[in-house]
Amino acid sequence: QVQLVESGGGVVQTGDSLRLSCAASGGTLSLYYVGWFRQAPGKEREFVASISGSGDLTYRTGSLRGRSTISRDNAKNTVSLKMNNLEPEDTAVYYCAANQLPKYTPIATDYNVWGQGTQVTVSS
């Protein structure tokens, strides 16, 4: 199965934008739904967005719903999450994850492949 590596996190200021990337190796990412989750200190892991294997279906939820865009480039085996107008409340470790289920799911345990996470810190 694929392995996932996230990149693009960092320390930014309120109102800034960031693009997170999830790169896959060892397999064909287009066969997988890919989701982004985040986990802030002391909080449970939270679903942010997901995209179907072909890229024609996307889902976003929560406070980032109106401030984010998820996309994928299957030729490059990558999925991106663009976040705009970041707020301190967006500070968290962001993870990408993949599954081969035939439909959308926001449930973390439905994803069987996870990256190591990338830290996003938004300062006020």
Side-chain angles (χ1 to χ4, degrees):
Q1 61 184 13
V2 297
Q3 294 85 47
L4 304 176
V5 177
E6 303 94 335
S7 61
V11 180
V12 297
Q13 295 186 337
T14 298
D16 285 351
S17 298
L18 270 181
R19 179 185 294 275
L20 306 181
S21 292
C22 175
S25 61
T28 304
L29 195 58
S30 62
L31 300 177
Y32 294 78
Y33 253 95
V34 175
W36 283 95
F37 292 78
R38 67 182 183 181
Q39 189 165 20
K43 295 187 177 181
E44 293 189 355
R45 194 162 296 189
E46 174 188 23
F47 172 81
V48 175
S50 71
I51 187 167
S52 62
S54 62
D56 59 343
L57 298 173
T58 62
Y59 306 90
R60 294 169 294 152
T61 190
S63 63
L64 273 172
R65 181 176 182 178
R67 299 182 286 121
S68 63
T69 303
I70 186 170
S71 60
R72 68 191 302 158
D73 185 340
N74 285 335
K76 296 182 178 179
N77 248 13
T78 60
V79 172
S80 297
L81 180 70
K82 176 72 183 301
M83 303 182 291
N84 301 312
N85 196 21
L86 286 163
E87 304 168 351
E89 293 73 23
D90 297 317
T91 294
V93 178
Y94 285 71
Y95 299 89
C96 68
N99 71 64
Q100 289 186 291
L101 297 176
K103 61 180 182 179
Y104 152 77
T105 174
I107 302 173
T109 52
D110 285 339
Y111 291 78
N112 60 324
V113 182
W114 290 83
Q116 84 289 349
T118 185
Q119 176 71 47
V120 172
T121 302
V122 185
S123 61
S124 57

